[in-house]
Amino acid sequence: MTDTLELSHWIGGEKVAADRPGESHNPSDTRDIVARIPKGGAAEVDQAVSAATDAFEAWSEASPEVRFDVLDKAGSLIMERREQIGRLLSREEGKTVPEGIGETVRAARILKYFAGEALRMHGQNLASTRPGVEVQTYRQAVGVFGLITPWNFPIAIPAWKIAPAIAFGNTVVIKPAGPTPATAEALIAVLHEAGLPKGVVNMIIGDGDVGRAIVAHKDVTGISFTGSQGVGAGVAEGAVKRQARVQLEMGGKNPLIVLDDADLDRAVNIALDGSFFATGQRCTASSRLIVQDGIHDKFVAALAEKVAALRVGDALDSNTQMGPAVSESQRDVSYKYIDVARETGGRIVTGGERLNLEKPGWYVQPTLIADTLPDMRINNEEVFGPVASTIRVKSYEEALAVANGVEFGLSAGIVTSSLKHARDFQRRAKAGMTMVNLPTAGVDYHVPFGGSKRSSYGSREQGFAAVEFYTQIKTSYSAG
């Protein structure tokens, strides 16, 4: 165990003193209190929005080089402290240390990428249909953005929302996820250390009341949310009701198709990575493994062997390959769906049992379930844990139909040596992202991220697409 942190809200560039009735715990050892945390509400949100509103004019009109310098320096500081911050992330969220450090490095690179984007906002010069008239388009900052972020990527997702927002001249009020506020606070502290002006980024720690207050606030011009479909629907309704722009990322039930012509070892390793890395707590995880008849039995046997061999334990232990679930409730969701799958005819090939390790924690035994049907709950509802189910199919066309047959559409993958099937899959898969001979999870930070159907709503996140959400286009006419 290490020291317990004392967290605060950040409003107007300062830490705000407050009672700390809440705690965040180490999911690998629940005796370890990571942080004592305040509980904000509508009053704190009002103060934060006011600070962001006051800061907007100067920040939006500042030279883009000012925004570049802050983001670039913050990225450098996080990169220098990647091991310290990465270990904090692992202690608080439950990722293994290599995963925690890797996510921290990703956050640093996101900040540096958007530092460059601050200098690259561009428009167009167009000829008017009227002689002697010129038309120009250019992008402007929008205002105050409310950002509501999840616990599964507690530094990367705040970074990929904050960075484009402030790179393009907006200001921010962010609510981090309840289980992981210390990791988010580390990012906010670094941004201010890097020279961020007061009020440009504000953070309020709290529960759903904080999120609702942000969504409802009349001076918040846009909302970016990552979380569950149920909460996301309420966020969208609240934002649209007052005509605020809104962007939602709401999970997936991602398919990985394995065809008969796939290389078996490659397919198994791709499925292992996509389904069980980060304890399966990724919206892009491969939760449905759709496997063609000819390779099915060999694939299931080989994958089960690797799943059973995964070393589950304390995220800070160098021997651990898979850490715990983030919380007791998240652990219980995984076991609930394992029981549901078993009761409806699924065969537990490996895993499925309760884990009681030396340290008290929210551990889940990685579980592979075979003999499931497409319409089972296990294949239609997001588990968000180290649980994967297999579906046997006869042909590529049947596999594609099964892959497309759910209400989610975030990421979809295929393992095959057939160029014909790979190209067809890229065109016809009903998902925002497709992966050929790669895990469904694992995306780059400089390209668009997002899904189709009920996985996403609004503009794409990340990369060059982020400018669409965080700026507005102005069209200007002039005559000589």
Side-chain angles (χ1 to χ4, degrees), residues 109-133:
R109 289 177 172 154
I110 288 167
L111 295 175
K112 284 184 167 289
Y113 172 82
F114 280 108
E117 289 299 280
L119 299 170
R120 283 191 284 266
M121 272 209 301
H122 59 269
Q124 294 178 308
N125 287 320
L126 302 166
S128 172
T129 57
R130 292 168 287 174
V133 176

Side-chain angles (χ1 to χ4, degrees), residues 70-90:
V70 169
L71 286 164
D72 185 62
K73 184 176 181 181
S76 295
L77 289 171
I78 288 175
M79 191 69 78
E80 290 169 8
R81 300 170 193 172
R82 60 189 178 273
E83 293 192 10
Q84 173 192 341
I85 296 173
R87 288 186 68 84
L88 171 63
L89 193 161
S90 296

Side-chain angles (χ1 to χ4, degrees), residues 17 43 123 130 244 282 288 376 401 417 466 478:
R130 292 168 287 174
R282 297 183 289 182
R288 295 182 296 145
M376 288 181 176
S417 60
S478 60

Side-chain angles (χ1 to χ4, degrees), residues 370-423:
D371 302 336
T372 71
L373 300 175
D375 61 353
M376 288 181 176
R377 285 182 65 190
I378 191 64
N379 290 320
N380 289 272
E381 299 175 16
E382 189 173 36
V383 178
F384 222 67
V387 180
S389 52
T390 67
I391 302 169
R392 186 192 295 264
V393 294
K394 291 184 171 60
S395 65
Y396 165 72
E397 287 295 335
E398 183 184 359
L400 183 65
V402 171
N404 288 338
V406 297
E407 64 182 18
F408 293 93
L410 183 55
S411 182
I414 188 169
V415 189
T416 181
S417 60
S418 166
L419 180 62
K420 172 187 174 183
H421 287 141
R423 292 289 184 245

Side-chain angles (χ1 to χ4, degrees), residues 438-451:
L438 290 166
T440 56
V443 295
D444 293 346
Y445 56 85
H446 66 300
V447 296
F449 175 94

Side-chain angles (χ1 to χ4, degrees), residues 45-284:
V45 170
D46 277 341
Q47 294 168 27
V49 174
S50 178
T53 302
D54 290 345
F56 173 72
E57 184 175 356
W59 181 247
S60 62
E61 293 181 359
S63 165
E65 197 167 57
V66 172
R67 300 195 286 273
F68 171 92
D69 287 343
V70 169
L71 286 164
D72 185 62
K73 184 176 181 181
S76 295
L77 289 171
I78 288 175
M79 191 69 78
E80 290 169 8
R81 300 170 193 172
R82 60 189 178 273
E83 293 192 10
Q84 173 192 341
I85 296 173
R87 288 186 68 84
L88 171 63
L89 193 161
S90 296
R91 179 184 170 207
E92 187 174 50
E93 196 272 349
K95 285 185 167 86
T96 64
V97 171
E99 291 170 343
I101 293 173
E103 182 184 335
T104 303
V105 169
R106 181 185 179 91
R109 289 177 172 154
I110 288 167
L111 295 175
K112 284 184 167 289
Y113 172 82
F114 280 108
E117 289 299 280
L119 299 170
R120 283 191 284 266
M121 272 209 301
H122 59 269
Q124 294 178 308
N125 287 320
L126 302 166
S128 172
T129 57
R130 292 168 287 174
V133 176
E134 293 184 352
V135 184
Q136 293 177 316
T137 67
Y138 54 96
R139 292 187 176 273
Q140 293 182 312
V142 178
V144 178
F145 277 87
L147 310 179
I148 302 172
T149 60
W151 48 259
N152 62 321
F153 285 91
I155 194 168
I157 292 181
W160 89 41
K161 292 182 189 293
I162 290 172
I166 66 175
F168 302 137
N170 304 287
T171 56
V172 162
V173 176
I174 182 170
K175 176 204 171 297
T180 54
T183 307
E185 199 271 346
L187 171 62
I188 305 305
V190 166
L191 284 165
H192 285 90
E193 183 181 344
L196 189 72
K198 293 181 178 181
V200 174
V201 175
N202 307 272
M203 181 181 75
I204 306 299
I205 298 171
D207 54 24
D209 288 344
V210 172
R212 285 185 285 272
I214 290 172
V215 171
H217 203 289
K218 64 182 179 60
D219 294 326
V220 174
T221 56
I223 308 290
S224 182
F225 167 86
T226 299
S228 68
Q229 280 190 347
V231 177
V235 170
E237 183 178 4
V240 171
K241 186 181 296 183
R242 58 181 188 81
Q243 297 180 322
R245 57 179 61 195
V246 63
Q247 172 190 73
L248 310 175
E249 293 294 343
M250 298 174 291
K253 193 66 186 172
N254 308 296
L256 178 70
I257 294 172
V258 180
L259 295 184
D260 285 348
D261 59 15
D263 178 275
L264 179 62
D265 289 341
R266 188 176 192 181
V268 167
N269 287 326
I270 286 170
L272 186 74
D273 183 314
S275 300
F276 299 99
F277 182 86
T279 319
Q281 295 176 148
R282 297 183 289 182
C283 56
T284 52

